[in-house]
Amino acid sequence: MNRFDDMDNRELQVIKTVGENGEEISLKLLDIVTVNDFDYALLLPVDEDIQDGSKEEAEVILMRLKQDASEYVFETIDDDEEFNLVSEAILSEEGYEDIDEYDAE
């Protein structure tokens, strides 16, 4: 069983952010994980669902999460080494072993 199996039974927080072209993007916050004392968010576009037949097709977005003053800021992970380190750490956690791909945006 992986952590996303009960997604339909949970109410997920929706995060709104601005994309590269200035468009508003809505993302579901799936989980927050800590790797090497830094927090990372696993996000899913609101228009995508993870269901039994489509788990491999859903694009999970991995972003760094930083607290800036009184709010949280989601940052793109541009460093391939950091992205790979975090991806491997997440995939080694119980419940994520069935998730094959993570994509930084």
Side-chain angles (χ1 to χ4, degrees), residues 47-64:
D47 59 345
E48 290 190 39
D49 286 319
I50 295 180
Q51 297 173 353
D52 289 336
S54 64
K55 285 180 190 172
E56 292 79 24
E57 297 171 17
E59 179 180 313
V60 176
I61 299 167
L62 175 60
M63 297 186 84
R64 186 182 312 111

Side-chain angles (χ1 to χ4, degrees), residues 86-94 96-97 99-102:
V86 174
S87 296
E88 288 174 21
I90 290 170
L91 290 172
S92 69
E93 286 191 29
E94 184 176 337
Y96 287 120
E97 58 272 351
I99 304 298
D100 293 335
E101 246 178 69
Y102 289 90

